[in-house]
Structures are given as C-alpha cells and as structure tokens.
Amino acid sequence: MTNSNNYCVIMGGGIGSRFWPFSRKSLPKQFLDFFGTGRSLLQQTYDRFSKIIPAENIFIVTNDLYSSLVKEQLPQLSQDQILLEPTRRNTAPCIAWASYHIQAINPNANIIVAPSDHLILKEGEFLEAIEKGLKFAASSNNLLTLGIKPNRPETGYGYIQVDEQKDGDFYKVKTFTEKPELELAKVFLESGEFYWNSGLFIWNVNSILKAFNELLPELVAKLSVGDNIYATENEKAFIDENFPACPNISIDFGIMEKADNVYVLMGDFGWSDLGTWGSLYDLSSKDENNNVSLKCETLMYNCKNNIVVLPEGKLAVLQNMEDYLIAESDNVLLICKKDEEHAIRKFVNDAQIKMGEDYI
C-alpha cells in the first residue's frame, strides 16, 4: 500500500551536452534508450518510483521545450504533473518550485527528488532505502541525501564526508566536497569516511522550504509571493514571469553544503550517474579487447578500449585505434580520445558558434 503523503520529483530538464552528439537539444539523453531496453532513462526512472509512490504524486520538472516529449513518453501523467520551466536555472530553483507546488496540494508531503538519468541495477535494495528514507523524513526535520559506497577513486562525482554521529542508519554529514583530483579521490577511498554524492534527496516539504527561507532568501523572494497561486490555473503565468529572475544555483551549493541538519543514508544498489561517455563505457559489455559497440555493427582490427555508437544498421570498420570514442547521430560524427571527453563541451560551443543550432 503506497503512502499518499509520499511524493516524487523527477528532474528532467537538462540538455546532456556531455553526451553530444547522441544527446541533442531537441532530444536530450533522458529521453533516449541507451541500452536497448525499450524504455528511455526518464521512463525507467518513472517506472522505478511508481512501485512505491502513488502515480498521481509523481511530478516531472522539465523545460518548456520538452513538454510534448514527456507527454509522449509518459502518457499516463496529467498535465498538472508536468512542471514546465521557461528557462534553465539549475537544481535549486527547480526543487523550490516543485516544493511550493506540492506543499499547496499536501502540506504534510514527504518528497524524494531524483535526476531522470540515473541507472539503478539493484532496484529492490534501492526502493527499500528510499522507503526507509521517507520514514526518516516524515519523523524529523532533517534533510537526507543518499550516499554510495565508492568502489574506485572516481573524479567525476562529488563526495560526502560522514561524521561519527548517527541516528540509526543515518549518518550526520560533515562536509560536501566537489569533484576531486585523482590523488585526492584515492585518499577519500582509503579513508572510509567518504561516499559518492548520488544527487538523490529526501525530505519533508516543510523542512526543505525552511532551509530555502534561511539559506536562499533571494530565491524565496522570487517564488514565495506566489503562495496562493500554486496548484491553480494562474501558476504557469506566475512561473513564466518570476522563474527567469531566480538565481542560477545548484541545490548542493545553495542548501546542502550550508545546512547543519543534513544526514546521509548509505546505499549499495548498483547506482551510476550516467553522466558521460566514460560512464556509459564502464557500464557496457565489452569484447575481448575491451571495445564497446552500441546499436551498430563493428569490424575491428588491432583495436582496444574503444566505444563506438552509431545509428542502427550502420557498420563501422576500425583499424589501429585505441581509447577512442566514435559517435554518430543525425548530422554529426564525433571522433575523439575517450579520456578527453571533457573537451566535448568545447566542441559543442565551437559548433554552435561556427555552424549554428543545426548541429547542437
């Protein structure tokens, strides 16, 4: 039996530029089916949470551009369950808006906030952790994040350092740390005090809005004046006018790193933030030379550690290539060193400046 006080906010408004050219402005990665399962990342995220959250209590926050894509992929949602941002303003404004909206519907709501593009391999363990976290949020005014026990020195994730102080399975957070250099990541791994920051949050609606009031008053000033507007027909016009003036700030930087009531629940449920081509390579099955081929056919000669992603029905023939990313989608072919994927954002910017929007 699902609890009617439990809600889920799925954040699905990003462009996913690190996955260019596969992820495009018109069809970002959360709407793509990376692994041939028949369900996009957004659909998989919805499917997962719908097992423990009432269907009518699941909200998608996305950009105006993706309204029809969300409706097409999740036709069971009502229009009221799709919150459309007029512009991108990072995760803090997105979460603040969703919190005000849900509070107007249910002032006792407990909320899980989740990105739309994560992979969870051990779903049973994951949902158990979420339900445990929702009970914790309902009975305290603390903010909760899910931490993942690291199994390698990863430089692509933020880290959470835990305190010895705990409340059952919930540890007090000592510090949040941004993505570290490799040597520091090794130190974190060896210390046993640091966990990956999953970007999954659980709290009571009143707890998070109290934190917004205390720590991001400039954001509250833009959105709280609509208190009697949320969950009414006037909400969208109010948001279209006020949301663009919100500060562009992440929930981690704006709230979680500053609040003194943040706890973490450890998890081991095969989690991956599918954020980069490198993470997709790590998760994919490989041939005897550690090459990955997705969607397409390949013939490889003296090649190793490559990832090749082309449209279905295409054949790639490679010779003497090592550690390369070869990705083609629509009108763009990208070939670059796999471990230099941080340069992809530069490629995207250059293509936009020199060739216009047709290739973005």
Side-chain angles (χ1 to χ4, degrees):
M1 181 71 182
T2 54
N3 184 334
S4 62
N5 281 341
N6 290 345
Y7 288 73
C8 177
V9 173
I10 299 172
M11 299 182 289
I15 297 178
S17 60
R18 286 180 297 176
F19 264 116
W20 185 79
F22 202 56
S23 177
R24 307 291 277 266
K25 191 174 179 182
S26 59
L27 191 67
K29 66 173 178 175
Q30 60 269 29
F31 300 105
L32 300 173
D33 173 11
F34 277 85
F35 298 100
T37 62
R39 300 291 277 171
S40 71
L41 294 174
L42 173 66
Q43 289 170 316
Q44 288 183 40
T45 303
Y46 176 87
D47 295 346
R48 194 176 300 132
F49 287 111
S50 65
K51 289 174 180 158
I52 59 168
I53 303 288
E56 65 275 14
N57 291 2
I58 299 176
F59 291 86
I60 314 291
V61 188
T62 188
N63 190 275
D64 272 329
L65 291 172
Y66 309 132
S67 174
S68 56
L69 276 171
V70 173
K71 286 178 196 160
E72 183 185 314
Q73 295 202 353
L74 298 173
Q76 63 272 54
L77 292 179
S78 72
Q79 183 61 53
D80 294 344
Q81 290 172 267
I82 307 171
L83 304 182
L84 297 171
E85 300 173 334
T87 187
R88 289 183 180 82
R89 277 295 173 269
N90 216 317
T91 51
C94 159
I95 291 168
W97 174 24
S99 302
Y100 281 120
H101 181 85
I102 290 170
Q103 187 191 43
I105 298 166
N106 182 344
N108 300 312
N110 309 304
I111 304 172
I112 161 89
V113 177
S116 56
D117 54 1
H118 286 184
L119 197 68
I120 307 288
L121 299 177
K122 301 178 193 170
E123 196 168 87
E125 288 97 322
F126 174 74
L127 295 178
E128 276 176 32
I130 296 297
E131 292 196 296
K132 192 187 288 185
L134 285 164
K135 283 177 186 160
F136 177 76
S139 61
S140 76
N141 62 357
N142 294 315
L143 309 177
L144 181 66
T145 182
L146 266 64
I148 313 294
K149 191 170 176 55
N151 56 14
R152 62 183 187 276
E154 172 62 61
T155 59
Y157 298 152
Y159 284 74
I160 300 166
Q161 184 182 20
V162 297
D163 208 317
E164 288 175 8
Q165 183 184 340
K166 58 184 289 198
D167 179 352
D169 293 327
F170 303 91
Y171 288 80
K172 189 97 183 331
V173 171
K174 202 182 214 172
T175 58
F176 281 84
T177 303
E178 298 298 316
K179 297 168 183 174
E181 297 292 327
L182 184 60
E183 289 309 310
L184 191 54
K186 288 176 181 171
V187 173
F188 287 175
L189 183 66
E190 286 159 15
S191 77
E193 286 182 23
F194 287 83
Y195 294 80
W196 288 336
N197 181 2
S198 70
L200 289 150
F201 307 106
I202 304 175
W203 39 55
N204 182 270
V205 68
N206 300 304
S207 305
I208 189 60
L209 287 176
K210 181 171 182 282
F212 273 115
N213 272 293
E214 291 171 0
L215 300 171
L216 282 177
E218 67 275 28
L219 172 53
V220 169
K222 299 295 176 197
L223 296 182
S224 68
V225 287
D227 277 353
N228 56 353
I229 285 172
Y230 290 110
T232 74
E233 60 187 17
N234 300 318
E235 178 174 3
K236 178 61 173 150
F238 170 80
I239 286 297
D240 284 350
E241 184 182 341
N242 291 278
F243 197 83
C246 289
N248 190 342
I249 190 167
S250 73
I251 193 75
D252 293 273
F253 187 69
I255 301 289
M256 305 305 280
E257 292 178 18
K258 298 182 174 77
D260 59 4
N261 61 333
V262 180
Y263 281 76
V264 62
L265 174 62
M266 310 307 173
D268 175 20
F269 28 72
W271 169 89
S272 173
D273 166 10
L274 201 58
T276 62
W277 285 111
S279 60
L280 182 61
Y281 173 83
D282 292 341
L283 289 161
S284 302
S285 55
K286 300 166 183 68
D287 68 11
E288 65 277 11
N289 295 309
N290 287 323
N291 295 302
V292 169
S293 303
L294 293 175
K295 295 184 175 282
C296 59
E297 299 296 329
T298 51
L299 288 172
M300 300 202 194
Y301 304 90
N302 191 30
C303 292
K304 59 184 180 182
N305 305 330
N306 300 292
I307 176 168
V308 184
V309 189
L310 305 180
E312 280 183 49
K314 282 221 169 183
L315 167 65
V317 183
L318 277 63
Q319 182 187 33
N320 299 338
M321 296 187 77
E322 182 176 347
D323 295 321
Y324 271 89
L325 158 65
I326 298 104
E328 181 189 341
S329 179
D330 292 337
N331 54 0
V332 177
L333 169 65
L334 171 67
I335 303 170
C336 68
K337 293 298 280 187
K338 178 161 60 66
D339 59 358
E340 292 177 19
E341 60 178 24
H342 56 271
I344 290 177
R345 282 192 167 154
K346 179 186 183 325
F347 303 156
V348 172
N349 289 338
D350 287 351
Q352 191 167 19
I353 291 164
K354 293 175 180 175
M355 285 94 179
E357 295 290 326
D358 290 349
Y359 299 96
I360 305 307

